[in-house]
Amino acid sequence: MAKLAQGAKYRGSIHDFPDFDPSQDAETLYNAMKGFGSDKEAILELITSRSNRQRQEICQNYKSLYGKDLIADLKYELTGKFERLIVGLMRPPAYSDAKEIKDAISGIGTDEKCLIEILASRTNEQIHQLVAAYKDAYERDLEADVIGDTSGHFQKMLVVLLQGTREEDDVVSEDLVQQDVQDLYEAGELKWGTDEAQFIYILGNRSKQHLRLVFDEYLKTTGKPIEASIRGELSGDFEKLMLAVVKCVRSTPEYFAERLFKAMKGLGTRDNTLIRIMVSRSELDILDVREIFRTKYEKSLYSMIKNDTSGEYKKTLLKLCGGDDDAAGKFFPEAAQVAYQMWELSAVARVEVKGTVRPAGDFNPDTDAKALRKAMKGLGTDEDTIIDIITHRSNAQRQQIRQTFKSHFGRDLMADLKSELSGDLARLILGLMMPPAHYDAKQLKKAMEGAGTDEKALIEILATRTNAEIRAINEAYKEDYHKSLEDDLSSDTSGLFKRILISLATGNREEGGEDQDRVREDAQEIADTPSGDRSSLETRFMMILCTRSYQHLRRVFQEFVKMTNYDVEHTIKKRMSGDVRDVFVAIVQSVKNKPLFFADKLYKSMKGAGTEEKTLTRIMVSRSEIDLLNIRWEFIEKYDKSLHQAIEGDTSGHFLKALLAVCGGKD
């Protein structure tokens, strides 16, 4: 088993086998491989129930008893992914890492992802053991081999990490934290070009505790997370390496949970990544990885492995996983603590929200009105000019253009645009031309028109708008449609869902901070409902989720975790159904991280076959001057590709061009 720091709790899934007899185990393995074929079940059962230390003793006894190398015999008898996994388990951890790195830099091309994963995540002691194991196994210098196979700033950071000299003192100097924040800011955001050396020095040498405080302070000082600055200032493999270092500083188990999820999502499985992580973390922190995985992806690591692999390979991986977090139907207490910490971060974070569309500096409504008229006059339409003007003016400036257009030409600009444009581009451009409250009012009206109701659109708008925005929507709705929004909601929806929407549509959410006594009362109120009484549970949730301030709700949801060992979102999804469940989940996600809520919606609108153009357009229009830049940051953080790339791959023509202009950057 891995050596524990003093007072640390063992978080691996593999333990020393009691009554261990290495000679007996060596004989069992020999018999399992003797004769025609091999008993794979016996091999995997034995190897996954022994710690790495015990496996080394088995190797020694096998050689003493039979004069043969156990790993060589296993390689001969087994094949494919199962063989790679079993052999990986048989090597000491440092030698396993050394083999992975040797494979990553051997032959044509380099597996940069493997280099990044190992060198960004290992402790000083693990790095020193890796360097020694590499020298012992291959009679080569690891640093020299890495230098020979990489280049530039990527190479320099790898060399820094290979020294294994990260500071380990948990006593942090506040002055040094402030200095590092200033140095990083000046090296990136404030500098023409980037001083990569500062990023390398600080991120490659400071202690994890120090860097966590630097990242917190950087966010407060600059209004953006350090990850956003790294993406904006660095590029290529160097950027990926620095982001991996930041993730491991924040939480190494969360980094591996994310790597495992990406290894198994979508078509095909990245088996080398899956094997490497399951082997390397099985005696370190796989229980923490499991719990974060369950919290973050709403499914257990066990169930994802089970659905994504097969045969003895699957059985071995599931043994290493050590248990199914879905089996008991609830979180581990430790996983609940992860959820608790997520709510704490949500409660204390103060991120400056930023849109991507800003007022044009040299704005002249007269010039713009004439240019638009020319673009629509005569045969054909100059869509490029229309897109260029409208996507690069703020909404307030567009309203001035509308007024000037009417004054000059006696024509309604909106009517002319509607006549000249069509399809998705028309919806996007006309949406950008409307005042925000009138645009939202129109989207709500369309969601309730005709046969059927677009509940998703109703939820998206009413669950995410501020009181001021809701009140403006009500006024716009009354002005445009000569009836109240509440009346239309009443006639088009029903039951508790109707009551929730009407409550949200009043725009009377409290706006103060949290009251600690009331926080406990509210958490108790939604935690105490008897498990069988769903209607009572839903009513209590409505009374609290629809009326309390966001700041207060963050603390309520945090207290709820302490009382129940459940995250509130998990409880809603488990205990409720249909539109009521969906609107409560939307409120919770909006409270937790509104830009992430919209990033998820955008991703789903472009995922799979076909595109939900209406959802895509509605979000891009409505968030363009509020928080679309933050949404972009959350999108690339979660999905490993930029919103710009997603739009580029899923739309076309002038609609694509207009969307990219609103998106405002490639990240």
Side-chain angles (χ1 to χ4, degrees):
M1 266 174 27
K3 188 173 76 175
L4 289 176
Q6 189 173 2
K9 186 179 176 185
Y10 182 66
R11 302 297 292 152
S13 59
I14 302 295
H15 300 261
D16 281 337
F17 187 74
D19 305 320
F20 172 59
D21 184 339
S23 296
Q24 180 63 50
D25 286 350
E27 186 180 344
T28 300
L29 289 172
Y30 180 77
N31 290 332
M33 293 185 283
K34 193 167 68 172
F36 185 73
S38 54
D39 186 348
K40 298 181 180 67
E41 191 78 30
I43 293 169
L44 77 87
E45 281 290 341
L46 190 148
I47 289 175
T48 57
S49 57
R50 306 297 187 270
S51 67
N52 192 275
R53 179 186 62 78
Q54 291 175 330
R55 292 181 208 126
Q56 304 318 309
E57 289 188 54
I58 295 169
C59 281
Q60 291 164 8
N61 277 267
Y62 191 91
K63 186 167 277 188
S64 298
L65 288 169
Y66 305 109
K68 302 177 75 174
D69 183 82
L70 176 54
I71 288 180
D73 280 3
L74 287 166
K75 280 183 174 179
Y76 180 79
E77 291 291 332
L78 309 177
T79 59
K81 296 174 283 193
F82 179 53
E83 177 256 316
R84 291 206 304 276
L85 177 55
I86 291 295
V87 169
L89 287 167
M90 292 306 302
R91 292 191 179 99
Y95 285 81
S96 185
D97 279 351
K99 175 71 166 63
E100 290 290 330
I101 286 189
K102 187 76 170 78
D103 289 346
I105 56 180
S106 294
I108 299 170
T110 305
D111 183 354
E112 289 87 2
K113 288 181 180 177
C114 173
L115 288 179
I116 289 169
E117 179 195 298
I118 292 174
L119 296 182
S121 65
R122 301 313 193 242
T123 64
N124 286 346
E125 184 181 359
Q126 288 167 339
I127 291 286
H128 297 152
Q129 291 169 352
L130 161 61
V131 170
Y134 192 92
K135 185 82 170 174
D136 181 50
Y138 306 111
E139 297 181 347
R140 297 178 65 88
D141 181 70
L142 177 53
E143 183 180 321
D145 281 359
V146 166
I147 289 172
D149 215 62
T150 58
S151 61
H153 298 297
F154 177 57
Q155 177 199 89
K156 289 173 188 170
M157 185 62 178
L158 291 175
V159 169
V160 167
L161 294 172
L162 274 171
Q163 306 315 301
T165 53
R166 184 177 296 285
E167 297 161 3
E168 294 180 327
D169 189 355
D170 282 340
V171 178
V172 177
S173 160
E174 288 185 21
D175 290 341
L176 187 56
V177 166
Q178 293 293 343
Q179 184 61 53
D180 282 350
V181 169
Q182 192 61 35
D183 288 346
L184 287 171
Y185 192 39
E186 289 175 359
E189 299 286 337
L190 294 182
K191 190 178 178 68
W192 181 258
T194 305
D195 182 359
E196 290 86 353
Q198 279 287 18
F199 280 86
I200 291 170
Y201 176 72
I202 294 170
L203 268 63
N205 289 284
R206 299 288 193 242
S207 73
K208 286 191 171 186
Q209 183 61 27
H210 175 91
L211 285 174
R212 288 183 194 115
L213 294 176
V214 168
F215 300 160
D216 291 345
E217 201 57 40
Y218 189 91
L219 178 62
K220 291 177 194 170
T221 302
T222 67
K224 62 163 66 175
I226 187 70
E227 291 90 340
S229 289
I230 288 172
R231 288 195 183 94
E233 299 298 327
L234 313 180
S235 61
D237 293 323
F238 180 45
E239 174 198 339
K240 290 171 188 164
L241 174 58
M242 298 306 256
L243 287 172
V245 169
V246 170
K247 284 176 182 174
C248 289
V249 166
R250 291 194 188 278
S251 169
T252 303
E254 185 170 356
Y255 170 71
F256 283 113
E258 186 179 305
R259 293 276 297 154
L260 285 168
F261 180 74
K262 288 175 180 173
M264 292 182 281
K265 77 168 186 175
L267 291 173
T269 304
R270 297 171 191 164
D271 293 291
N272 286 348
T273 302
L274 180 56
I275 291 167
R276 185 171 57 245
I277 296 173
M278 294 303 291
V279 168
S280 66
R281 311 318 290 185
S282 61
E283 294 187 38
L284 293 174
D285 56 5
I286 195 65
L287 297 187
D288 293 324
V289 173
R290 265 172 51 184
E291 288 156 5
I292 290 171
F293 194 101
R294 179 66 185 80
T295 304
K296 194 166 184 177
Y297 301 112
E298 297 171 10
K299 63 178 81 177
S300 68
L301 176 59
Y302 187 99
S303 67
M304 199 159 181
I305 290 171
K306 191 175 179 180
N307 293 330
D308 219 60
T309 58
S310 60
E312 284 85 9
Y313 176 54
K314 173 171 81 173
K315 289 179 185 175
T316 310
L317 288 170
L318 293 179
K319 289 272 188 185
L320 296 178
C321 187
D324 185 359
D325 303 334
D326 286 338
K330 64 177 184 180
F331 284 1
F332 279 135
E334 290 90 344
Q337 292 309 309
V338 173
Y340 181 89
Q341 287 157 12
M342 285 180 176
W343 281 113
E344 176 66 26
L345 185 62
S346 176
V348 300
R350 293 289 178 271
V351 180
E352 182 186 354
V353 292
K354 294 180 179 178
T356 54
V357 175
R358 299 174 183 86
D362 54 350
F363 176 58
N364 185 325
D366 188 65
T367 304
D368 286 347
K370 288 175 181 173
L372 287 170
R373 175 65 180 143
K374 184 180 177 183
M376 295 185 283
K377 200 173 176 183
L379 286 174
T381 305
D382 182 357
E383 288 93 347
D384 289 333
T385 295
I386 294 170
I387 291 167
D388 189 53
I389 291 173
I390 290 174
T391 60
H392 292 95
R393 306 294 183 269
S394 67
N395 194 275
Q397 290 175 334
R398 293 182 206 125
Q399 303 319 308
Q400 287 182 251
I401 296 170
R402 281 180 70 176
Q403 188 59 53
T404 304
F405 194 90
K406 183 165 275 188
S407 299
H408 273 342
F409 307 111
R411 303 173 66 93
D412 184 342
L413 176 56
M414 294 290 280
D416 281 6
L417 288 167
K418 198 170 185 179
S419 169
E420 294 290 328
L421 306 176
S422 61
D424 296 325
L425 178 63
R427 276 196 292 273
L428 177 60
I429 294 296
L430 290 168
L432 289 167
M433 288 303 303
M434 296 178 74
H438 289 266
Y439 179 73
D440 278 347
K442 184 175 183 182
Q443 298 307 303
L444 291 169
K445 180 68 173 169
K446 288 175 80 70
M448 296 183 282
E449 272 179 347
T453 304
D454 184 352
E455 291 86 1
K456 288 182 180 178
L458 296 179
I459 291 168
E460 179 201 301
I461 295 169
L462 294 175
T464 61
R465 301 312 193 247
T466 65
N467 284 345
E469 288 167 342
I470 291 285
R471 288 193 281 269
I473 291 168
N474 275 294
E475 289 175 16
Y477 199 94
K478 188 84 171 173
E479 180 185 333
D480 293 345
Y481 306 111
H482 310 294
K483 57 197 303 190
S484 75
L485 173 59
E486 183 180 328
D487 286 346
D488 275 359
L489 288 170
S490 291
S491 61
D492 211 66
T493 57
S494 60
L496 184 63
F497 182 56
K498 174 178 81 174
R499 290 165 54 202
I500 295 166
L501 293 182
I502 288 173
S503 176
L504 292 171
T506 60
N508 285 325
R509 184 180 293 284
E510 296 165 2
E511 294 186 335
E514 75 263 19
D515 175 334
Q516 202 51 49
D517 291 336
R518 200 166 169 223
V519 162
R520 281 188 287 273
E521 289 171 14
D522 285 348
Q524 197 74 54
E525 186 77 10
I526 55 178
D528 273 355
T529 308
S531 59
D533 190 356
R534 198 174 85 183
S535 63
S536 173
L537 175 72
E538 291 171 342
T539 301
R540 293 183 192 202
F541 265 83
M542 182 191 80
M543 291 168 61
I544 291 166
L545 267 63
C546 294
T547 62
R548 306 295 195 256
S549 72
Y550 272 26
Q551 187 62 23
H552 181 84
L553 284 174
R554 290 184 184 109
R555 293 302 186 188
V556 171
F557 298 155
Q558 191 177 32
E559 193 68 24
F560 183 87
V561 175
K562 280 172 67 178
M563 290 179 177
T564 67
N565 273 338
Y566 284 79
D567 184 70
V568 68
E569 187 177 334
H570 180 76
T571 297
I572 291 167
K573 288 178 176 176
K574 183 178 172 60
R575 300 279 303 281
M576 301 178 198
S577 61
D579 296 328
V580 170
R581 174 200 60 208
D582 293 345
V583 70
F584 283 155
V585 167
I587 293 169
V588 170
Q589 290 178 345
S590 184
V591 168
K592 185 182 286 184
N593 184 337
K594 195 177 288 186
L596 179 58
F597 169 80
F598 283 114
D600 285 338
K601 290 283 181 193
L602 285 170
Y603 177 77
K604 287 169 185 170
S605 77
M606 294 180 278
K607 179 183 164 191
T611 305
E612 295 175 21
E613 287 87 357
K614 289 180 183 177
T615 303
L616 176 57
T617 299
R618 185 172 59 243
I619 296 173
M620 295 296 287
V621 169
S622 64
R623 311 313 295 181
S624 60
E625 293 185 48
I626 299 174
D627 55 4
L628 189 53
L629 186 60
N630 305 78
I631 292 167
R632 271 171 38 190
W633 295 340
E634 296 292 349
F635 193 99
I636 196 169
E637 182 68 26
K638 183 164 182 180
Y639 298 110
D640 239 19
K641 66 175 175 181
S642 68
L643 178 57
H644 187 282
Q645 286 173 303
I647 291 169
E648 213 167 27
D650 220 61
T651 60
S652 61
H654 288 105
F655 181 51
L656 163 65
K657 183 176 180 180
L659 283 172
L660 293 182
V662 174
C663 182
K666 293 185 178 183
D667 296 319

